[in-house]
Structures are given as structure tokens and as C-alpha cells.
Amino acid sequence: MSGATERAATGTLTVALAGNPNSGKTSVFNALTGLRHRVGNYPGVTVERIEGRTDLPDGSRAVVIDLPGCYSLFARSEDERIARDALLGLLPGTKRPDVAVVVVDATNLERNLYFATQLMETGIEVCVALNMVDLAERRGIPVDAAELSAALGVPVVPVVGRTGQGIPELRRAILEARHAARKWRMPETGEEALGLVRDVVCRAGLVPDRACEGEALRLLTHARDDDPFLRRGGDELRRALEEARARLDEAGIDRVSVEAECRYAHCNDVARRARKRSSDPGPSPSERADRILTHKVFGPLIYLAVMWVIFDSVYSWAGPFMDWIEAGTAWVGGKAGALLGEGMLTDLVVDGVIAGVGNIIIFLPQICLLFLFLTLLEDIGYLARAAFISDRVMRGVGLHGKAFIPLMSSFACAIPGIMAARTLENRRDRMVTILVAPLMSCSARLPVYALMIGAFIPERDLVRVGGFALVELQGLTLFAMYVFSVLAALGAAWVLRKTFFRGESSTFLLELPSYKTPAVRHVARTVVDRGWVFVKQAGTVILAISVVLWALAYFPRSEEIAQQAEQRIEAGEDPEDVERWQQAAQIEQSYAGTLGKAIEPAIAPLGFDWKIGIGVLASFAAREVLVSTLGIVYSVGDADETSVLLKDKLRKARRGDGSPTFSWLTAVSLMVFFVLACQCMSTVAVVKRETNSWRWPLFMFGYMTLLAYVGSLIVYQGGLALGWA
């Protein structure tokens, strides 16, 4: 009876599922758990913790923890560190797994066995899920599972995670999992040096006994001087490590490469014995497709076309759904208002709670569409190619190739773009991508651009061919705002990478998985999970801020203004005109209006007055709220970016000294401010959820606000100095 069987008989078994990225680990996890899982975060970090339950053949149940995908347990990223610490039982509040199921891609055996053999050295009981055996068969490189099991010393089960083939046998193998001794060897001097370090690691009790050799190997070959385990091991471990490394140096052995060379030699030998080639299969269908899809010329063109389809779809396909949600929110608000009657409670429910809920669910169509596309591309196998193609550009600012997709997605909305940054394994890359994604000009900024450009930028053709205008000033101005946002995001990424997130760029180690048919159930479940996580975790923060912003714009109420409105209506004035005046007067003397006037001295150098200040404050609910707020402040009532009356009011607005409140320079200054400022509470809430801390969303809000102020100041004051007022 194996140790796993004994523990299953006395309680719930904890099973860790581990493997390389693109090994089909998620498909195996879904097949094992039947899509019954929950998503959270490991304590204090941004890495997701996904766990589910499965029933074992002996009648017991097992908790299955889906560890982050890793290429190595010699951690270079946050995900790899979390995976290693989970396997060693070093994560606070997380039980050490009883069994590890390592998912191995049968079509890429050597590379996957490298990680598998490292995992076996953690001292945990192991079984292997040999995934994608159907693809290996079709490619003429079938793997003998029995031969592979004999070579590794642990159970090996052929599975097809996408279809569920072999999953019952895998559940049985979990109960039969075994410890496996290290079977590969370094040169004699290397083994002696390893023994010195292993003895000290065991005495220090840094890791479980069976994991001492694996941890000693990591310290000997890959640990840096600031490694936390060196500090915990004390002077004895440092002396042992120095002596061991000195022996390797004297023998002319490169301590960094010796482990990889010897381990890979062993993995290649195991793979050669286990793989039964029927004949030379020639290029696989995936390899033939990659000749076009990763081509130097055609590859980027196809990639840009795919990204454009995603971007356009997230923006346009979500539009009708968002309109329905907006209309539904208005309908519910109207019904609630009619039911409750006039009064403060009605305003709180309609403008605070119901509008706040609307601010949450209105983003769901974009989030769901984006993750639908991302999951489909990942399941198909194209996402890895996309990262490969875009890596050269992104590497120039210190980011990973995969960062391009979240940044591109942020043109539609920063929220799904920030959530898409989960595809980045390296913590530095993920954090920088999250912190610069809101700089990409999202669709919510478009109403602000449209209003300012339509009101203050002349309709002038700059380039005409025949009777057709190729370039006109308004279109060029809008295009300039988008280009400016891209340059700002890339520049901010470069600065953050050189300051707060210094360190080596993540190694661009990437496997190009075989193309596969996506699993419909997995895609659907992922989309539902992502949408629910947003509603549940970010939505609570958004709702709370919505109510606070409503209160600032509502209180205090002036009875005098209400009485004046009644008197004007009794005097025969148009009730609608009076209602618009009353709304403007009430918001002027509200807390929001008071704040707008309070910040006027600070924003005056940007060309803004207190009315614009109110709009800037109110737009934190959502950027496009600036337009409707200006409509209220200027007594237009409900207005959007196309409102002719609002544009006319803005053109005619005057300051106390009689000078125009707005000019084209003020409009450009305001647009630059909105390009750079983090005027979106939903974005702040999502960053808090993704980083598991208030530290980074507050930092993001602060640096973007400062950037917006300086950028707007330079534009307005520079324009005044050049006589452009």
C-alpha cells in the first residue's frame, strides 16, 4: 500500500497538479475536477490559487491544487517560486501536498521531463499524466507509458485531457504514487560537492528530509548570494557552499551548466527509450502552419490582423450588450424611482446603488469577450506564437512579448486588459503591464475626445486627393491622442522597469505547442469564472465608490434653490429649463462643487475652471461621465458628446473677467489630461484585486495623476508662451 493510499484512507488527500506551460495541465485539471473549482489568490501575492475536488476509486476525495505552469523549480519568477514553495510545504496557510501529478506533453517529452525530474527531487510522491498521446500518435512518435514508468520509477498514465481519456486511470494512479530516487548523476566531484551541501541542508531543517538533496542541488548550482535559504542556513551552510563550489571550480566544472547538461542527457536517454518511432514522420501540421504564422513577413501581418479582430470585436461586439445593460439599468432605475417617489432615498437607490451596479455589469461584455478570445487562442496554440512575434518590440521597453495582448486589449477597456496580464508568468512583467495598461486610450475616453474635438477643433482638410479628404484636422487630432497614449504607456513601462521593477528581464523561454481544437467546456468555464471574479471582487469596491461619489454630488441640498425653482415654475417658466437650472445650482453648492472650487487654483494653470474641476472629480466614476457632468453644470441636462447645445454652451462660456472659459488650447490640455490620468474607479478596483494590495492601485493613481498634471501644464502653458491662446 502506497503512502497516498494510507492517507486517503484516513482523510482527504491533497494533490498538486504541476507541469510546463502549454502541457495541457488546465485540461487535465478540468477533467479531474469536472470543472468544480474555485479561484483565489495565494496569501500576500498576486498568483492565483485554483483548487477543485475529485473522487478517487477507493471512495475517498482529493483536493486538487492547480499549481502555476513552470519550466523549472529553480525559481526565476513569482509563479515558479510559488510552485516550489507549495511542493515543499513552505507557503503560509497552505498544506504540503500528499501527491504531485506532473503533466507531461507526449509530443515534447525531453523538455517536459526536465521539470518532471526536478519535481521528483522535492521528496513528494509522484505520478505522471502523459498528456496529448493522441497527438503523439498522429505525429508518428508514440510513447510507451510502461517503458517511461520503468525509467522514471513512478506510475505513468496516458491521458488526453481535452477529451477526458485516461482520467479514471489517472485517479487510480494518484493512489499508487511513489517516491522516486534521483537517477541521473553529475561527475564524481560534482556528486561529492553536492553531498557536502546536502548534509548541512538536512541538519538545518530548511526543507522536508526527502527534499534535502533537491534543495542542495539548487543552492549549489543556481542560488545567488541573497538567496533567503542561505540566510536561514546560517554560516555553516555558507561555508559548506563555498567549499563545494571551490571543488567544482578546481575540477573545471561549470556549476551553472553542469546540472542542466547532466539532467538533459538523462531526459534525452529516457525519452529515446520510451519513444517508439514508427518512421520519420516529417514536419507536423503545426510545423507546416508555423512556416507561415511565424514567418518574418507574413507572421506579423497575420498577428496584427488577429489582434485587430480581437480589439475591434471587444469594442464593437460588446457595444449592443453594453447598450442593453445601460438601457436595463435606466429602466430599473425608472421603475424604482416611480415606486419610491421623490426624495433622498430614491436618489440614493437610483443614482447611487442602481447606477453603481450598472457601472459594474456594464464591463462584463468586454471582459467576457476578451477572455473568450484569449482562451480560444491559448487552447488553439496561437497565443504562444503571438508572444513570440511581439517579443522583439516589447523587449525594447523591458517587457515580455505576451504583454502586447493586454496592452492592445486596453484600447477597448483597461479592465479586461489588466485581467489579461495574468498570462504573464514573471511578476515584474505582470506588475509593469498592469500599471501602464490604463494609459492606453480606452473607449471611455472617446466621448471626451469627441466633445472637445467637435467643439473646438475646426473641420479643416489637410490633405485632399481630388474631391476626397485623405487627412483632416479633427481626425488627425483624434489619431494623435491614441498615438500619444501608446508612447506614454511604453515610456512609463521603460521608466518603471528601470526604477521600481529593476532586475533582469525575464528569459524568453517559450514552447510552441501543437495546434489543437479548443475544448468548448473549458473555454465556457473560463469565461464564466473571469466574469464572476470581476463581479464578486472588483464589483464591491466599484459599488462603494459609486455611492460615495453620488453623496458628494448630492449633499448638502439647498432648500433655497428648490424654492426658487418652484417659484420660477409658478411664474410660467419652462419646467424642464428650470429643472436643468436647479440641477446645476445644486451641484455647484454640493460637496463636489465645493471641492471643484477648492481645487480651482491648482488646476487654473492647466486652463481649467471650477466647472471643469467638478467634471474631473465626477469622472472618477467613469471617464465618460465628464460629458454628462458638464451638461448638468452648464444647464443643458442629459447630454452626450454629440450634443450641439452643449458644444455651443462651452464655446460661449465666460470666466469672471469676461475671457472665454474654453479655447482649442484648453480642449487639447483637457484631452491630454484624460489621456494620462487614471480617471476610473473600476480600474483602480481591478488593480487592487489583481495585485492583492491597495499599495499598487494608489501608486498607479498617484503617478498617473502627476503625469497628467505635468503633461497638461506643459501643453497649456507652452501654448500660451507661443501665443496659441
Side-chain angles (χ1 to χ4, degrees):
M1 179 181 288
S2 72
T5 303
E6 292 175 357
R7 281 186 293 277
T10 58
T12 301
L13 207 63
T14 301
V15 178
L17 194 69
N20 285 181
N22 301 313
S23 63
K25 181 170 61 68
T26 301
S27 297
V28 173
F29 175 81
N30 288 334
L32 266 176
T33 61
L35 298 177
R36 297 168 299 175
H37 60 262
R38 57 191 180 92
V39 181
N41 274 50
Y42 286 98
V45 296
T46 61
V47 179
E48 276 191 342
R49 174 191 169 100
I50 304 175
E51 68 175 50
R53 291 182 177 270
T54 190
D55 296 321
L56 300 177
D58 65 351
S60 63
R61 303 196 77 188
V63 174
V64 183
I65 301 173
D66 187 12
L67 296 181
C70 302
Y71 288 110
S72 171
L73 285 181
F74 294 170
R76 293 168 297 179
S77 70
E78 183 79 348
D79 284 2
E80 290 177 346
R81 185 189 67 78
I82 289 292
R84 190 194 78 199
D85 287 355
L87 290 166
L88 295 177
L90 301 176
L91 285 179
T94 302
K95 179 180 179 292
R96 189 185 189 212
D98 302 302
V99 173
V101 176
V102 56
V103 181
V104 170
D105 179 0
T107 67
N108 196 1
L109 205 54
E110 293 87 345
R111 182 70 189 90
N112 281 240
L113 286 177
Y114 184 89
F115 173 77
T117 56
Q118 283 188 333
L119 187 145
M120 293 174 190
E121 291 158 14
T122 61
I124 201 168
E125 293 179 351
V126 174
C127 67
V128 172
L130 184 64
N131 196 24
M132 304 186 204
V133 291
D134 56 336
L135 292 179
E137 290 279 353
R138 287 202 294 269
R139 291 176 58 177
I141 49 172
V143 178
D144 187 330
E147 184 71 33
L148 185 59
S149 176
L152 295 176
V154 298
V156 176
V157 181
V159 300
V160 180
R162 185 171 51 84
T163 65
Q165 176 186 327
I167 296 302
E169 291 80 4
L170 181 59
R171 291 191 177 102
R172 190 176 305 114
I174 289 173
L175 294 173
E176 299 168 356
R178 296 194 296 270
H179 295 288
R182 182 169 62 95
K183 296 191 175 184
W184 63 275
R185 289 292 180 268
M186 293 184 290
E188 185 177 351
T189 303
E191 291 295 327
E192 292 173 354
L194 176 61
L196 284 175
V197 182
R198 180 190 59 226
D199 293 342
V200 178
V201 170
C202 287
R203 285 198 297 273
L206 299 177
V207 293
D209 290 345
R210 289 180 187 255
C212 287
E213 186 173 70
E215 186 60 22
L217 182 64
R218 184 189 72 83
L219 291 171
L220 176 64
T221 59
H222 287 77
R224 300 189 306 183
D225 291 339
D226 60 350
D227 190 284
F229 274 71
L230 282 180
R231 292 196 297 271
R232 290 171 58 186
D235 293 339
E236 183 184 11
L237 179 57
R238 286 188 178 277
R239 287 194 297 269
L241 201 57
E242 290 172 1
E243 181 181 348
R245 289 176 175 176
R247 290 191 184 187
L248 293 179
D249 293 340
E250 290 173 6
I253 297 174
D254 186 327
R255 66 180 177 87
V256 176
S257 63
V258 65
E259 180 266 342
E261 291 172 358
C262 295
R263 190 187 298 275
Y264 263 123
H266 171 69
C267 294
N268 291 337
D269 181 60
V270 170
R272 179 183 54 78
R273 290 177 348 200
R275 187 178 287 129
K276 308 296 182 185
R277 287 186 180 271
S278 54
S279 61
D280 183 4
S284 68
S286 293
E287 290 169 339
R288 289 195 294 270
D290 280 339
R291 290 174 182 174
I292 298 174
L293 295 176
T294 60
H295 188 272
K296 289 184 178 180
V297 177
F298 300 121
L301 294 177
I302 295 171
Y303 174 54
L304 289 175
V306 170
M307 291 301 105
W308 173 254
V309 169
I310 294 176
F311 166 63
D312 185 63
S313 300
V314 169
Y315 181 65
S316 60
W317 292 6
F321 297 100
M322 297 175 77
D323 291 340
W324 294 340
I325 292 171
E326 188 174 15
T329 302
W331 181 84
V332 172
K335 290 295 184 181
L339 181 65
L340 296 173
E342 294 185 2
M344 184 185 72
L345 177 62
T346 301
D347 292 337
L348 170 62
V349 172
V350 175
D351 298 330
V353 177
I354 294 177
V357 171
N359 286 337
I360 298 167
I361 61 177
I362 199 168
F363 292 111
L364 274 180
Q366 290 183 327
I367 290 171
C368 292
L369 274 173
L370 177 64
F371 277 100
L372 172 65
F373 281 113
L374 289 181
T375 307
L376 283 173
L377 291 180
E378 185 172 22
D379 272 18
I380 290 169
Y382 186 74
L383 202 58
R385 277 81 180 174
F388 171 76
I389 292 168
S390 59
D391 181 67
R392 181 174 298 177
V393 174
M394 303 308 297
R395 192 168 48 204
V397 295
L399 288 177
H400 195 283
K402 286 185 179 180
F404 183 82
I405 295 173
L407 294 182
M408 182 79 173
S409 304
S410 297
F411 273 124
C413 177
I415 291 170
I418 289 167
M419 294 178 71
R422 295 175 181 177
T423 58
L424 300 170
E425 294 88 4
N426 182 276
R427 177 183 176 274
R428 290 191 183 96
D429 292 335
R430 185 186 303 140
M431 291 298 299
V432 172
T433 303
I434 287 173
L435 292 175
V436 303
L439 286 168
M440 307 295 280
S441 272
C442 65
S443 57
R445 290 176 169 102
L446 190 56
V448 179
Y449 299 158
L451 177 64
M452 292 296 110
I453 291 173
F456 299 104
I457 305 300
E459 296 183 23
R460 183 181 304 160
D461 297 336
L462 300 180
V463 178
R464 294 184 65 88
V465 175
F468 183 72
L470 285 183
V471 181
E472 52 93 20
L473 185 58
Q474 289 186 335
L476 182 62
T477 304
L478 180 62
F479 177 72
M481 292 299 109
Y482 279 89
V483 171
F484 179 49
S485 75
V486 173
L487 295 177
L490 295 179
W494 185 84
V495 171
L496 289 172
R497 210 60 175 83
K498 297 292 184 182
T499 53
F500 295 97
F501 298 96
R502 287 192 301 269
E504 296 181 5
S505 297
S506 58
T507 304
F508 192 60
L509 182 63
L510 182 69
E511 292 179 24
L512 298 183
S514 300
Y515 292 103
K516 301 181 293 292
T517 304
V520 176
R521 290 182 69 201
H522 169 235
V523 172
R525 180 68 193 203
T526 300
V527 172
V528 171
D529 280 351
R530 295 303 179 215
W532 175 241
V533 164
F534 167 71
V535 170
K536 183 175 67 173
Q537 301 195 20
T540 53
V541 179
I542 295 171
L543 179 59
I545 296 176
S546 294
V547 174
V548 170
L549 289 174
W550 167 84
L552 288 174
Y554 189 86
F555 293 109
R557 305 300 287 176
S558 170
E559 291 298 328
E560 182 179 348
I561 292 174
Q563 291 173 2
Q564 290 179 20
E566 290 178 2
Q567 293 169 0
R568 291 176 61 173
I569 292 174
E570 291 173 357
E573 293 189 39
D574 187 328
E576 291 187 1
D577 290 342
V578 174
E579 177 62 26
R580 287 194 291 267
W581 169 83
Q582 183 179 356
Q583 286 182 331
Q586 290 286 14
I587 199 172
E588 179 179 350
Q589 59 83 48
S590 69
Y591 293 126
T594 303
L595 284 172
K597 292 178 179 178
I599 66 173
E600 186 173 30
I603 61 177
L606 313 182
F608 306 162
D609 69 347
W610 68 268
K611 293 182 179 181
I612 300 176
I614 293 178
V616 169
L617 292 173
S619 65
F620 186 63
R623 292 179 177 95
E624 64 271 26
V625 170
L626 173 78
V627 177
S628 58
T629 302
L630 289 177
I632 294 172
V633 171
Y634 281 96
S635 303
V636 175
D638 291 336
D640 59 22
E641 64 273 16
T642 63
S643 173
V644 176
L645 180 58
L646 177 57
K647 292 177 183 177
D648 188 56
K649 287 267 189 177
L650 295 179
R651 293 189 193 104
K652 294 178 179 179
R654 292 292 183 270
R655 301 179 188 272
D657 60 3
S659 62
T661 301
F662 281 91
S663 66
W664 73 266
L665 187 58
T666 308
V668 173
S669 174
L670 186 60
M671 286 191 289
V672 167
F673 185 90
F674 270 79
V675 167
L676 301 174
C678 184
Q679 293 299 107
C680 181
M681 65 175 180
S682 304
T683 299
V684 173
V686 169
V687 172
K688 191 274 178 188
R689 181 269 180 279
E690 293 298 302
T691 61
N692 205 28
S693 166
W694 276 109
R695 173 190 177 192
W696 293 114
L698 292 176
F699 168 79
M700 180 189 72
F701 180 79
Y703 99 79
M704 289 183 65
T705 301
L706 178 62
L707 196 62
Y709 188 91
V710 172
S712 186
L713 181 70
I714 291 173
V715 167
Y716 189 73
Q717 294 300 324
L720 289 180
L722 293 172
W724 290 350

